Amino acid sequence: MQAADRRVEKKTKHEPWRDPHADAYVRIENVTKRFGDFVAVNNVSLKIYKGEIFCLLGGSGCGKSTLLRMLAGFEAPTSGSIFIDGQDMAAVPPYERPVNMMFQSYALFPHMTVEKNIAFGLEQEKGLSRNDIATRVTDILEIVKLGQFAARRPHQLSGGQRQRVALARALVKRPKLLLLDEPLGALDKKLREATQFELINIQDQLGVTFMVVTHDQEEAMTLASRIGVMNRGEIVQIGTPTEIYEFPMTKFVADFIGSVNMFEGQLIEDLPDRARIKSDELGGVIYIDHGISSAPGAMVWAAVRPEKINILRQPPADTSENCVKGVVKEIAYMGDVSIYLVKIETGKTIRVTLPNVERLSDDERILWDETVWLTWHGSSPVVVTQ
Amino acid sequence: MKPVGARTVGTREQLGRLGPLWMFFFRYGPPRWSEYVLQNWSGQRLVIAIPYLWLLIFFLIPFLIVLKISFAEFLPLGRPPYAPVFQWVEEGAVQIKLWVTSFAFLMSEPLYVSSYVYSLKIALVSTIFCLLLGYPMAYAIARSSPTMRNLFLMLVILPFWTSFLLRVYAWIGLLKNDGVINNVLQFLGIIEEPLVMMNTSFAVYIGIVYSYLPFMILPLYSNLEKHDLTLLEAAQDLGAGPIKSFLRVTLPLSFPGIMAGSLLVFIPVVGEYVIPSLLGSKDETMIATLLWTEFYNNRNWPNASAVAIAMLLVLVVPIMIFQHFQNKELEAGRR
């Protein structure tokens, strides 16, 4: 009964983008930004809803930071418009926007203490008394757990502490929209993970809308309510982390998020409940347990995630579909999982990850140069056409 | 590195007939000091020691001599015109006679006091004007494109290619009663009578600000050029308009530059001799002019030395204050 309740709760979670009548808090409409001949952002349209953590994910130079800077007002779009809370931002200078940004370099004022850095933004607001400012600074220092560092200067803080000061400085203004440029970029792995969850907690607590720019897919996956994947100035796919990971729409997205084994092949059967792809790259047939609704005979790509592939030491009963024989060429032990690189007869190398559930002795373990069979379920492959 | 004892000069064949003799001297001769220095001093120490040695010989020792003379008794007809301070009176006894008359004279004579005040006033006001003119220039140069930046910097340094003296002389041609400025203004009918600009404090200010402006611009530029512009973006993002951002971020961060530039203008201007003597009035003298008169016209070396020492004392205090602030700012500004 309890489990069922929890499922109901999950189902009704905050997903305003599924509601066609919901009002977007930020609307980016056909925004293009050119620097000379270079098109940094190409005709991007995007809606972000209140209370979301929206991640723009992409490689360096894909235009994600430019888009963020246009929201903050540091760059003006060459064409298109940006609306925040229904207001056109075209003529609004950065210092009058209801937006605050956490800079990648943190951009803390080196000549001010932590306290002064955080108070700076409040001092610019009209109608705030000294007492109000002091209270709000103390409160936010409490939230980011920096109370005892209030009198320090930025150069006396560690990277993680500076990051929290930068966050506090932006949050203390109580912005409706907080922009974060690679917020965790400069932190080490342990600290990143801790901070990621801290960010989500703070976001929950204060109800701010976050827009995060990152090149790190792991960061995007943990933080985001939705991810927008960018490539060459365009948004190629928008979706929840699960959608992006499990149902990438293009080869680029499948490849960019996590690792993937990609097989090119010809669609030989396409029915509503099943499809088959004949792949020369694989040297066999890939069976998919749902329809593709694509032109028959079309060249498509089937993407199979490494963790969705099984390794067998004996051939399975049916080797005609979703099965390939190969030789283990490389094993990388990562602690929680092991990565196997298996070379199949066509010469292609397939990547497989298996969780290290049990401690295995040497003769139970799969070893180098062992012949194995790789199989996967019909629901595992994702077919992309471009 | 090889130890000092083990030296090789070459083989017997290479050294020829006198080889054995050579080798004897080489091995057992006096230790070579250069080798000692190379082995025991690091290059860093040597590099620091040479200019210090220079300063010791050509600045500290002369300064001590001047200090000594300032306490000597003035002998108008003497050659040199002062009595010795240290004197052997008898076997094993040195007599030291310190006369404080020169310093007492400086204090009591209003001419000296007013000259000091005048010099400090000229230096302070010129420094402020240099700052007011130089800051916007340095700021504009630091924010211009890299190619334009080099051009502007070259233009700032360009006056140094001509003699300083010539450039000050040129101002006489501009400022005098029948000079260029007065002629143009009279020709345009703006003034009837020529403006008296020569031999006034105004001319001194013009000359000093003109001559010392580059010394203000260059340190300011090198400070402003290093500023992280994302700090300004952050300030704007937090709600500060352009003026507020400048006042609260750029200005405080450029404080070390302001200090360095002001130091470089203020200190030499206090002792400036050429500009006030060419452009200034005869009634209001700066301290360096007075020093010159005392030394060459009155031949009163003790008085002249006391003037010099007092000028140094007047400057030491602001220098130390400035440097204290500068160090503090640099420390705090470091990230």
Side-chain angles (χ1 to χ4, degrees):
Chain A
M1 187 62 207
Q2 255 184 344
D5 278 351
R6 210 171 292 151
R7 197 169 301 151
V8 169
E9 197 184 297
K10 269 247 153 125
K11 273 215 167 132
T12 56
K13 73 178 173 188
H14 187 62
E15 289 187 338
W17 53 90
R18 304 220 187 277
D19 174 8
H21 303 295
D23 278 332
Y25 185 65
V26 179
R27 271 186 297 140
I28 298 171
E29 287 177 358
N30 308 98
V31 163
T32 297
K33 176 72 188 177
R34 286 193 190 85
F35 295 104
D37 288 340
F38 177 69
V39 183
V41 173
N42 191 5
N43 199 20
V44 165
S45 293
L46 192 62
K47 281 180 181 172
I48 299 164
Y49 299 87
K50 255 202 178 103
E52 257 203 280
I53 300 186
F54 190 93
C55 266
L56 276 176
L57 178 63
S60 60
C62 71
K64 57 191 191 306
S65 290
T66 310
L67 194 56
L68 200 73
R69 290 174 58 79
M70 285 193 281
L71 278 171
F74 301 133
E75 309 278 356
T78 312
S79 65
S81 32
I82 294 172
F83 295 89
I84 297 177
D85 209 5
Q87 194 194 353
D88 189 352
M89 286 289 128
V92 184
Y95 48 91
E96 280 169 11
R97 296 195 179 197
V99 165
N100 284 107
M101 179 150 163
M102 192 181 128
F103 290 79
Q104 187 176 4
S105 61
Y106 307 146
L108 300 178
F109 304 124
H111 57 297
M112 296 182 195
T113 61
V114 166
E115 212 170 5
K116 287 268 175 200
N117 260 287
I118 296 172
F120 184 91
L122 296 177
E123 285 161 10
Q124 313 308 322
E125 282 176 29
K126 289 190 185 84
L128 271 180
S129 74
R130 254 163 206 283
N131 277 340
D132 292 344
I133 293 175
T135 331
R136 272 169 73 172
V137 170
T138 321
D139 287 351
I140 201 80
L141 278 172
E142 208 54 51
I143 291 176
V144 297
K145 304 186 188 89
L146 279 174
Q148 71 267 44
F149 298 104
R152 295 229 186 144
R153 300 247 182 146
H155 72 273
Q156 296 167 314
L157 299 177
S158 72
Q161 290 164 342
R162 278 185 222 178
Q163 189 259 1
R164 298 215 294 277
V165 177
L167 182 65
R169 190 178 67 173
L171 281 174
V172 80
K173 295 271 287 177
R174 296 183 188 157
K176 300 279 174 49
L177 175 65
L178 183 67
L179 309 172
L180 301 101
D181 192 357
E182 307 267 356
L184 311 173
L187 305 183
D188 62 59
K189 197 167 188 292
K190 264 265 153 63
L191 203 53
R192 286 171 81 111
E193 273 169 19
T195 320
Q196 273 168 5
F197 292 110
E198 220 167 281
L199 268 182
I200 297 175
N201 278 340
I202 289 171
Q203 197 262 353
D204 255 8
Q205 224 172 315
L206 304 178
V208 186
T209 308
F210 276 23
M211 174 132 172
V212 184
V213 150
T214 178
H215 67 275
D216 181 347
Q217 45 125 342
E218 220 172 285
E219 190 172 322
M221 302 285 276
T222 33
L223 283 178
S225 58
R226 280 192 306 157
I227 295 175
V229 183
M230 279 190 85
N231 186 29
R232 291 185 188 166
E234 288 172 33
I235 292 198
V236 277
Q237 187 174 353
I238 298 174
T240 62
T242 325
E243 283 167 358
I244 297 270
Y245 188 80
E246 301 291 345
F247 308 105
M249 291 194 316
T250 66
K251 245 181 103 177
F252 173 83
V253 176
D255 223 10
F256 189 79
I257 314 284
S259 43
V260 77
N261 297 296
M262 199 76 77
F263 304 104
E264 193 179 2
Q266 197 175 19
L267 201 58
I268 50 172
E269 188 180 3
D270 188 6
L271 297 169
D273 65 333
R274 63 179 186 273
R276 280 191 172 81
I277 295 166
K278 186 177 178 296
S279 170
D280 293 336
E281 235 181 318
L282 179 71
V285 173
I286 300 166
Y287 166 79
I288 298 137
D289 67 356
H290 57 87
I292 313 298
S293 49
S294 185
M299 292 306 283
V300 294
W301 289 271
V304 189
R305 296 277 182 203
E307 73 277 8
K308 294 192 167 61
I309 301 178
N310 297 315
I311 296 190
L312 303 174
R313 302 177 109 166
Q314 303 297 326
D318 176 15
T319 59
S320 63
E321 286 170 341
N322 289 359
C323 179
V324 67
K325 190 174 133 188
V327 179
V328 177
K329 283 294 172 197
E330 208 69 67
I331 303 170
Y333 176 74
M334 311 289 285
D336 50 349
V337 296
S338 288
I339 300 171
Y340 300 84
L341 295 182
V342 179
K343 194 166 184 180
I344 58 174
E345 278 156 356
T346 60
K348 191 179 167 70
T349 304
I350 297 180
R351 189 187 170 97
V352 183
T353 51
L354 290 183
N356 293 321
V357 181
E358 292 172 65
R359 278 201 188 117
L360 296 173
S361 62
D362 272 353
D363 46 321
E364 291 169 307
R365 205 181 280 159
I366 293 168
L367 295 172
W368 274 267
D369 292 328
E370 206 177 317
T371 303
V372 291
W373 282 263
L374 306 179
T375 65
W376 54 90
H377 190 256
S379 65
S380 299
V382 175
V383 178
V384 292
T385 52
Q386 46 173 311
Chain B
M1 198 177 271
K2 277 180 297 177
V4 182
R7 302 171 187 160
T8 47
V9 267
T11 60
R12 201 169 280 246
E13 287 74 29
Q14 286 168 337
L15 291 169
R17 247 194 304 168
L18 288 175
L21 198 66
W22 242 129
M23 283 168 83
F24 179 82
F25 272 116
F26 201 87
R27 189 161 296 155
Y28 301 108
R32 285 181 301 170
W33 68 272
S34 60
E35 202 161 299
Y36 172 83
V37 165
L38 279 178
Q39 283 182 0
N40 292 286
W41 290 20
S42 61
Q44 189 193 11
R45 278 200 217 167
L46 203 68
V47 164
I48 295 171
I50 289 169
Y52 268 92
L53 199 69
W54 175 271
L55 285 176
L56 179 79
I57 296 171
F58 295 106
F59 181 74
L60 191 62
I61 293 174
F63 170 74
L64 292 174
I65 294 171
V66 170
L67 187 67
K68 188 195 82 173
I69 295 173
S70 72
F71 284 108
E73 187 192 1
F74 176 45
L75 301 177
L77 300 173
R79 201 173 257 273
Y82 62 91
V85 173
F86 304 100
Q87 214 168 13
W88 289 98
V89 278
E90 57 189 270
E91 198 65 33
V94 179
Q95 189 187 42
I96 304 174
K97 271 196 211 165
L98 292 181
W99 291 69
V100 290
T101 44
S102 300
F103 287 99
F105 183 64
L106 287 192
M107 298 297 175
S108 58
E109 183 61 54
L111 177 66
Y112 288 94
V113 178
S114 66
S115 291
Y116 277 114
V117 172
Y118 182 64
S119 291
L120 288 176
K121 190 186 106 189
I122 292 267
L124 193 69
V125 173
S126 321
T127 305
I128 290 168
F129 272 104
C130 279
L131 186 62
L132 290 180
L133 278 170
Y135 199 103
M137 283 175 77
Y139 189 89
I141 296 172
R143 295 289 174 274
S144 55
S145 71
T147 31
M148 291 309 280
R149 206 181 291 174
N150 286 337
L151 181 74
F152 288 144
L153 278 179
M154 211 195 65
L155 288 175
V156 169
I157 302 166
L158 201 64
F160 291 125
W161 292 8
T162 334
S163 147
F164 168 69
L165 204 59
L166 274 181
R167 283 184 284 129
V168 178
Y169 262 114
W171 274 105
I172 299 178
L174 290 169
L175 295 175
K176 63 185 177 186
N177 283 4
D178 55 346
V180 177
I181 295 173
N182 274 321
N183 282 349
V184 169
L185 290 179
Q186 277 173 311
F187 177 78
L188 294 173
I190 296 169
I191 50 169
E192 303 258 309
E193 291 296 304
L195 293 171
V196 180
M197 290 183 286
M198 270 304 291
N199 303 102
T200 60
S201 295
F202 172 73
V204 176
Y205 284 129
I206 290 274
I208 287 175
V209 171
Y210 161 78
S211 305
Y212 284 89
L213 194 56
F215 296 105
M216 180 62 87
I217 293 177
L218 294 176
L220 270 176
Y221 161 80
S222 79
N223 172 289
L224 287 167
E225 186 253 350
K226 284 192 292 251
H227 282 201
D228 179 3
L229 295 184
T230 52
L231 292 181
L232 282 183
E233 284 183 350
Q236 297 217 355
D237 188 69
L238 292 167
I243 295 167
K244 264 272 178 65
S245 308
F246 172 80
L247 291 177
R248 300 246 357 228
V249 178
T250 308
L251 195 62
L253 286 177
S254 61
F255 189 68
I258 293 175
M259 278 299 155
S262 302
L263 253 173
L264 282 180
V265 174
F266 183 82
I267 290 165
V269 168
V270 171
E272 178 59 46
Y273 173 71
V274 175
I275 296 170
S277 54
L278 288 180
L279 306 177
S281 82
K282 299 285 173 284
D283 309 325
E284 290 180 297
T285 46
M286 280 179 75
I287 202 67
T289 321
L290 205 65
L291 197 147
W292 202 90
T293 324
E294 202 63 69
F295 192 81
Y296 286 100
N297 295 4
N298 303 347
R299 279 192 87 237
N300 191 336
W301 289 21
N303 260 6
S305 301
V307 170
I309 297 292
M311 189 164 86
L312 198 80
L313 288 179
V314 165
L315 285 180
V316 158
V317 176
I319 290 173
M320 281 168 64
I321 293 172
F322 283 160
Q323 288 200 327
H324 169 76
F325 271 111
Q326 200 176 2
N327 287 344
K328 220 172 99 179
E329 268 311 298
L330 283 177
E331 199 116 309
R334 212 172 38 212
R335 288 196 296 164

